[in-house]
Amino acid sequence: MTSTHASDITRLTAHLHALQHVTRALTDATTTSDVSRVVFDVAFSVLDACEAGFALQRGDTLEFHGGVNTPDVVRQSNHTLPLKSPLPIADASRIGQAVYLETLQAQIDAYPKHETYLRDRGIQATTAVPFASLGVRGALVLCFTSKQTFDVTTRAFLEALAMQIGAAVARAELIAAERSARSAAEQHASRLRAVVEASTSFVWLSGADGQSDEVAAFWSDLTGQTREEGAGWGWLNAVHERDRQRVQEAWTQAFTTRTRYDLTFGVRAKGGEERFVSVRGVPRFEDGQVVEWTGSFDDVTERVKVEAQLREREARLALLLEHAPAAIAMFDQEMRYLAVSNRFRSDFRLPHDLVGRFHYDVFPDTRDRWLDFNARALAGEELSCDEDAFERTNGSVDFVRWTLAPWRAATGEVGGVILFAEVITEAVESRRRDAYLLALEERLRAAPSGGDAVQAALEHLGVQLQASLCVLMDVQPDGETGVIEREWRRVSIPSVLGRHRLADYGEVRARLVSDGHTVVVNDVEADVRTAKTSVVGAYEAIGVRASLDVPLMRGGTLRALVSLASSEPRTWRGSEIDLARETLERVWQAAERSRVEDALRASESRLRLATDAAQTGTWDFDLVTNTLRWDERAKALFGLPADAEVTYTDTFLAGLHPDDRAATDAAVEAALDPCGSGECDLEYRAIGLQDGVERWIGARGRAFFEGGRAVRLIGTVIDLSERKRVEAQLREMNETLERRVRERTQALERSNAELERFAYIASHDLQEPIRTVTSFSGLLEQRYDASLDERGRLYLKMLRQGASRMKTLVDDLLAFSRLKGDAAPLKPVDLNLPLSEALARLERRLAETEAHVTCDTLPTVLGDGPGLSQVFQNLIGNAVKFVRPGVTPEVHVGVAQESTSWHVTVADNGVGIEEAYLERIFELFQRLHPKHEFEGTGLGLGICRMVVERHGGRIWAESTIGVGSVFHFTLPVRSPEA
């Protein structure tokens, strides 16, 4: 026989002895604790295990009975754990299959979460063997501090041991159940006797019909009814009328269906007092028939009153809590909502039906963290947090200040917890925003150049918003492309420096940012503007899933764009968008300031060259530090040496001539006004502070602004003394010349007045001979027409036509002379009236030509009614005179308001005017057609121009040959005072 065989026999013999020992020991085990002791004895004494135990499956949990073998005593541990726990004993019990782990590594591979425990405890091997007996399921677990070899013999022994333990536990539970049932019955009988003896209730028995002399006596004592009055349904008369029907229906149903009843109702007691009674009744059956009723009466008046008071108090409390201005929620010990304030619902965006719901069903994501908080509060501790992040279901984050405290019942015991919460997101984000902007300003100030400032800001913003990419695009004048010269990015994101089209990442995006809209894309693959488009490929090329584009508009034009991107989908919060917008504004200001400073340095360099050549002095006033700097020439103009110190008040204002001091100081203040032009151009006299010489000085300056306030004023000065001396001489010569011009002008005005008077008188005197010729030529035609031959009639016709033309010419001259004479004052005139007068004068001609005249609704203007009527008459008359053969004249008078004037048009469909003559037609006596084609004097349009210009307007024409002409003239809008 080999040594191996001998060892196997020895081990088998030991196992058999152990099973015999366990069998004998378990025979005497009547409780689960007895079974535990036997298991620990064989595990630690016989099998040399370091830990042992068994678990009983109770639904979805395991009831674990375990022990640890220590040098001095076995430490026991009884607790429950979920059936799905990642443990060998749970797996063996759940799937009914043994688990054998012979080495530490095998245990770690199977249960990696328990590596630390295994190493700390020195456990090298573990086995878990399931058992099942008489409805009892579970598993045995053994742990060893040395490696084990669970061969066939050992496994058979362990499985037999597990079955012995399962059978013993099943037997112990049956014994325990039998004892419990017997004990419960004895206790119930004992308690029933005690209750009946100690109870204040009236206990009664009645026959199967429900009638009882005992009940009748009790009812009579309570209500004062006699037996006769309470017979049948008469006892219902003592029941309060609000409860009467309910009581009758309940008793009838119980008696008919042979079921128990339990009622509380009001009765009218002796003396008229209302009392409340609680009545219970239970039928007893024999052979399926009711043989008697057993029940009780209780006077519960005080209890009902107390309950009513409690309900009223609870209603008040609930009302107070619901309308409290704070966010408050009250829970019971199981963390179910008892009461909730409206503010709590609104702040946390919760439904109305919260009462009775489990807190962790409402906020499932907070369970793991708040289990500890709630347990501590239920233990009597008060907890609070000044700033707690709370993530909502849409991914946004709010910040909450809360206090969690226990509330106590009337007994003094903790009845649950109450939560006081306040959403402080706005305050937290404001504080963080201020800190961020302060740090941003420090980085911008520390940047050596404008480009470095942009780079620092992009990094600051990208890190703050946890982005993957942050760039600034300078949009080009074409509005379609932009240049990215600076970027901040994570290592995983490729560079995007260079020129790009705004539409590279979507036409919709380009259109929105061009209109000044912020574009938010939380997930490029889910956003309807980008999903299933070529834009997804553009984003994928740079590893981006979410983006934020914030535009910078100046004067309605897109100037720059800050873009942030994330390699993962994310929700861009409103506060983050505001932060990006504020950063862009400040970066742009910093860049603008840098460009201004660069331009200023270049300008100063050119200025120094120019001033040296032009002998011009320079000055620079730093308004932030209140420092004034002058060059040598500026100091010399104030009579100061080159090394003199200068200030605005003690040097500049003190050196000004007293008569010029106030005006000069006011001009400087106006230049520093952010709402002004920022420029000053002035002349003043200075009296040398050391040499006393008076000099004329010319000064020009420009202010520079930051953040809405002037920070610097720079400029030049030049000595104007010699120029002023020459100007004085020229002024004297000009005054002499102007005096002579006034004398000549007065002489010309007298001559023009005499000529106008002569023209009026002459044209007026010509009316008489014209009337004579016209009158006698008419008489000749009437009396001697029959005596004249054709030649005579032709001569007579020519005579009358010449007289008519002469009359028209004289009338136009009279009109022209009146216009040149004293002008009537302008007053409010409804333009519809002059137009109507003109149409009335032209009525015959309009009828002859069948002309069609239309007009817009004309406004009221400041004007001369007769003069404006003459304008309409001349323009419309020309429109119906200069017509194309076979074409019916169409004339339209239109009007439109243009800022401070009314723009009136007279459009026709006549012969048209060549472009070369559009200015000439407004000159006096200018005609474009022979008299035999179109009659006229050539004065009409000249009169129109004179009337319009007298009104402060202007007149012009547009025309196309063969299509028609449009005459335009403007009139001032009537002022509100008119």
Side-chain angles (χ1 to χ4, degrees):
M1 180 181 296
T2 64
S3 59
T4 302
H5 289 165
S7 176
D8 290 341
I9 292 173
T10 301
R11 189 168 62 255
L12 180 59
T13 302
H15 289 165
L16 290 174
H17 286 306
L19 283 175
Q20 292 173 355
H21 172 71
V22 169
T23 302
R24 288 193 300 269
L26 290 178
T27 302
D28 299 329
T30 59
T31 66
T32 305
S33 299
D34 294 340
V35 176
S36 298
R37 284 192 292 271
V38 174
V39 171
F40 298 152
D41 179 52
V42 70
F44 301 146
S45 301
V46 178
L47 302 179
D48 198 22
C50 63
E51 294 186 12
F54 63 90
L56 304 178
Q57 190 171 327
R58 308 293 193 191
D60 293 336
T61 62
L62 286 177
E63 179 185 294
F64 181 72
H65 302 265
V68 178
N69 188 18
T70 61
D72 51 352
V73 68
V74 174
R75 290 189 289 105
Q76 297 189 32
S77 173
N78 298 332
H79 58 273
T80 60
L81 63 153
L83 181 61
K84 294 183 178 181
S85 300
L87 293 169
I89 193 170
D91 291 343
S93 178
R94 186 176 66 256
I95 64 179
Q97 185 175 344
V99 176
Y100 296 104
L101 304 171
E102 299 178 337
T103 64
L104 174 62
Q105 189 59 47
Q107 297 176 85
I108 294 174
D109 292 342
Y111 303 97
K113 290 185 178 180
H114 301 296
E115 179 179 358
T116 301
Y117 177 83
L118 294 171
R119 293 185 183 278
D120 290 345
R121 302 294 297 173
I123 298 174
Q124 299 295 319
T126 299
T127 180
V129 184
F131 57 75
S133 178
L134 298 177
V136 175
R137 293 174 57 86
L140 167 69
V141 64
L142 299 171
C143 300
F144 304 89
T145 56
S146 61
K147 295 181 180 179
Q148 299 290 316
T149 301
F150 299 113
D151 55 17
V152 175
T153 301
T154 303
R155 294 186 180 189
F157 164 70
L158 292 174
E159 291 171 4
L161 177 62
M163 292 304 297
Q164 290 275 24
I165 293 171
V169 170
R171 185 171 63 253
E173 290 199 346
L174 288 174
I175 293 172
E178 182 181 353
R179 289 175 178 173
S180 178
R182 186 164 57 249
S183 176
E186 293 175 353
Q187 290 178 3
H188 178 70
S190 176
R191 282 199 300 269
L192 182 59
R193 287 191 297 271
V195 167
V196 172
E197 292 173 358
S199 176
T200 58
S201 302
F202 172 70
V203 180
W204 52 268
L205 294 173
S206 72
D209 59 357
Q211 298 297 317
S212 170
D213 291 339
E214 295 175 343
V215 174
F218 172 83
W219 190 255
S220 178
D221 290 342
L222 177 64
T223 63
Q225 281 188 325
T226 64
R227 288 178 179 273
E228 291 75 15
E229 291 173 339
W233 289 105
W235 59 273
L236 278 174
N237 294 327
V239 176
H240 196 286
E241 60 183 7
R242 69 167 176 272
D243 301 328
R244 194 170 294 160
Q245 183 177 354
R246 177 173 60 88
V247 171
Q248 184 177 9
E249 291 174 353
W251 167 247
T252 301
Q253 181 181 9
F255 191 76
T256 302
T257 60
R258 302 185 300 174
T259 57
R260 65 174 294 164
Y261 62 89
D262 191 341
L263 292 174
T264 299
F265 52 89
V267 299
R268 186 179 63 253
K270 292 179 180 179
E273 177 189 5
E274 182 181 6
R275 306 290 294 178
F276 291 89
V277 295
S278 176
V279 183
R280 300 175 184 84
V282 180
R284 188 172 68 83
F285 298 88
E286 286 185 6
D287 298 329
Q289 299 295 321
V290 176
V291 295
E292 67 178 4
W293 290 82
T294 304
S296 65
F297 272 103
D298 287 284
D299 188 337
V300 294
T301 303
E302 296 305 319
R303 190 193 75 189
V304 169
K305 291 181 178 179
V306 170
E307 289 175 351
Q309 292 175 354
L310 287 176
R311 284 195 297 272
E312 182 179 358
R313 291 177 183 176
E314 290 175 356
R316 291 177 181 173
L317 176 61
L319 185 65
L320 176 64
L321 188 61
E322 183 177 3
H323 297 284
I328 305 173
M330 191 173 182
F331 306 88
D332 62 13
Q333 290 188 343
E334 300 298 324
M335 290 307 295
R336 298 186 186 277
Y337 287 92
L338 296 177
V340 180
S341 69
N342 288 334
R343 179 67 176 274
F344 188 87
R345 292 191 184 92
S346 62
D347 281 359
F348 293 98
R349 304 170 193 172
L350 300 175
H352 189 77
D353 57 340
L354 281 178
V355 174
R357 294 181 62 183
F358 194 43
H359 177 63
Y360 302 118
D361 291 340
V362 179
F363 295 102
D365 295 338
T366 66
R367 180 186 182 94
D368 294 341
R369 183 161 172 258
W370 276 76
L371 274 173
D372 177 61
F373 293 160
N374 293 328
R376 290 162 60 185
L378 287 171
E381 183 179 353
E382 182 174 314
L383 302 93
S384 63
C385 180
D386 289 333
E387 183 180 314
D388 195 4
F390 170 68
E391 184 173 358
R392 297 191 182 276
T393 55
N394 62 0
S396 63
V397 176
D398 274 327
F399 295 94
V400 180
R401 178 188 295 121
W402 56 263
T403 297
L404 187 66
W407 62 267
R408 299 184 182 276
T411 60
E413 297 179 350
V414 174
V417 296
I418 186 166
L419 174 64
F420 301 88
E422 178 185 4
V423 177
I424 56 172
T425 303
E426 184 175 344
V428 171
E429 291 184 345
S430 177
R431 184 178 69 251
R432 294 184 177 182
R433 174 182 177 276
D434 292 344
Y436 167 86
L437 294 178
L438 181 61
L440 175 64
E441 283 298 323
E442 292 177 354
R443 297 191 68 170
L444 292 178
R445 281 196 298 268
S449 67
D452 293 328
V454 172
Q455 187 65 46
L458 294 178
E459 178 183 358
H460 194 59
L461 180 62
V463 172
Q464 178 72 17
L465 301 191
Q466 298 179 352
S468 302
L469 175 68
C470 185
V471 302
L472 177 67
M473 174 182 284
D474 191 1
V475 179
Q476 301 303 294
D478 62 8
E480 297 180 354
T481 60
V483 176
I484 300 175
E485 296 181 347
R486 297 279 178 170
E487 66 179 4
W488 174 86
R489 58 190 174 90
R490 305 284 184 186
V491 177
S492 60
I493 302 295
S495 175
V496 293
L497 294 177
R499 183 180 291 271
H500 300 266
R501 292 176 62 250
L502 293 181
D504 286 346
Y505 296 96
E507 295 287 348
V508 175
R509 168 186 178 269
R511 184 168 62 253
L512 289 173
V513 296
S514 296
D515 291 339
H517 299 291
T518 297
V519 179
V520 180
V521 178
N522 294 328
D523 187 351
V524 66
E525 296 182 3
D527 195 294
V528 294
R529 297 167 297 185
T530 55
K532 299 180 181 180
T533 68
S534 59
V535 177
V536 176
Y539 277 89
E540 288 179 348
I542 59 174
V544 166
R545 283 290 300 275
S547 66
L548 171 64
D549 299 296
V550 179
L552 177 76
M553 308 296 289
R554 287 294 184 269
T557 302
L558 178 64
R559 296 293 305 278
L561 186 70
V562 66
S563 298
L564 294 107
S566 173
S567 57
E568 298 294 336
R570 62 171 294 173
T571 299
W572 302 97
R573 302 196 307 272
S575 59
E576 294 175 330
I577 297 172
D578 293 340
L579 212 58
R581 186 176 293 113
E582 182 69 20
T583 301
L584 177 58
E585 286 287 345
R586 300 201 179 197
V587 168
W588 186 260
Q589 291 174 8
E592 285 289 293
R593 183 167 62 246
S594 178
R595 285 192 285 268
V596 169
E597 290 174 351
D598 292 342
L600 185 58
R601 283 190 288 270
S603 176
E604 287 177 343
S605 177
R606 292 192 299 270
L607 182 60
R608 279 192 295 271
L609 295 175
T611 55
D612 290 343
Q615 296 185 347
T616 302
T618 62
W619 50 271
D620 185 346
F621 189 14
D622 188 332
L623 296 161
V624 177
T625 61
N626 196 31
T627 303
L628 180 62
R629 289 184 290 273
W630 285 355
D631 69 354
E632 294 182 5
R633 289 191 180 89
K635 292 178 181 179
L637 290 177
F638 276 76
L640 296 173
D643 58 352
E645 296 290 333
V646 295
T647 65
Y648 182 79
T649 302
D650 297 336
T651 306
F652 176 63
L653 292 181
L656 292 176
H657 191 287
D659 294 343
D660 298 339
R661 189 171 297 161
T664 303
D665 191 34
V668 172
E669 290 296 329
L672 300 179
D673 186 353
C675 299
S677 65
E679 296 181 352
C680 61
D681 187 353
L682 63 158
E683 297 177 355
Y684 52 82
R685 289 165 291 177
I687 300 174
L689 295 173
Q690 293 187 8
D691 60 13
V693 176
E694 181 179 317
R695 300 176 179 86
W696 272 99
I697 299 175
R700 287 188 176 184
R702 180 179 180 81
F704 295 87
F705 299 88
E706 267 186 31
R709 67 186 185 94
V711 296
R712 196 174 183 186
L713 184 64
I714 64 173
T716 61
V717 289
I718 189 170
D719 191 346
L720 301 179
S721 300
E722 181 61 23
R723 195 190 78 182
K724 287 295 183 180
R725 185 185 64 79
V726 174
E727 286 179 352
Q729 294 177 351
L730 289 174
R731 192 161 47 248
E732 183 178 353
M733 295 173 61
N734 288 335
E735 289 175 356
T736 302
L737 181 60
E738 289 175 358
R739 184 176 65 254
R740 294 177 181 176
V741 169
R742 283 196 299 272
E743 292 173 353
R744 293 288 302 275
T745 301
Q746 290 173 358
L748 287 173
E749 289 175 349
R750 286 194 299 272
S751 176
N752 286 337
E754 291 172 356
L755 287 174
E756 290 172 3
R757 191 177 304 109
F758 172 75
Y760 178 79
I761 293 172
S763 61
H764 186 274
D765 290 345
L766 286 174
Q767 293 281 4
E768 180 60 29
I770 291 173
R771 283 194 294 269
T772 301
V773 172
T774 301
S775 175
F776 279 98
S777 63
L779 290 174
L780 282 173
E781 184 177 16
Q782 292 176 5
R783 295 183 180 183
Y784 303 105
D785 181 67
S787 303
L788 295 175
D789 57 9
E790 288 297 325
R791 183 179 297 277
R793 293 189 186 95
L794 176 62
Y795 291 161
L796 183 59
K797 180 180 179 181
M798 294 176 65
L799 176 65
R800 295 192 64 187
Q801 289 177 346
S804 176
R805 286 195 299 274
M806 177 62 75
K807 184 178 185 306
T808 301
L809 178 61
V810 170
D811 289 341
D812 288 345
L813 283 173
L814 280 172
F816 180 76
S817 64
R818 290 192 189 98
L819 293 173
K820 295 293 288 183
D822 295 335
L826 302 182
K827 58 183 180 180
V829 175
D830 182 355
L831 273 184
N832 293 288
L833 297 178
L835 176 62
S836 299
E837 292 177 5
L839 293 175
R841 294 176 191 159
L842 296 170
E843 182 178 6
R844 180 179 176 182
R845 187 182 299 179
L846 294 175
E848 292 174 352
T849 60
E850 299 181 351
H852 184 214
V853 181
T854 60
C855 68
D856 295 342
T857 301
L858 302 180
T860 297
V861 301
L862 283 177
D864 172 19
L868 294 174
S869 177
Q870 186 71 43
V871 172
F872 282 124
Q873 179 179 340
N874 291 351
L875 294 178
I876 297 174
N878 286 348
V880 299
K881 178 168 63 175
F882 296 100
V883 296
R884 290 172 286 159
V887 177
T888 301
E890 296 283 345
V891 184
H892 179 72
V893 180
V895 65
Q897 186 172 358
E898 298 177 349
S899 64
T900 59
S901 64
W902 290 104
H903 181 180
V904 184
T905 57
V906 179
D908 63 51
N909 62 341
V911 296
I913 306 169
E914 294 184 12
E915 185 177 358
Y917 299 112
L918 290 178
E919 288 293 333
R920 177 182 168 188
I921 58 177
F922 294 103
E923 298 178 3
L924 296 176
F925 300 106
Q926 293 297 318
R927 295 174 50 85
L928 302 183
H929 303 276
K931 294 181 180 179
H932 68 274
E933 291 185 10
F934 299 103
E935 62 179 7
T937 63
L939 289 173
L941 291 179
I943 291 173
C944 288
R945 181 169 69 176
M946 188 175 297
V947 172
V948 171
E949 290 178 348
R950 181 172 164 265
H951 284 74
R954 65 188 186 95
I955 187 169
W956 71 98
E958 298 173 345
S959 184
T960 302
I961 296 296
V963 176
S965 304
V966 180
F967 284 83
H968 305 259
F969 64 90
T970 60
L971 297 171
V973 173
R974 176 188 179 189
S975 64
E977 293 80 6

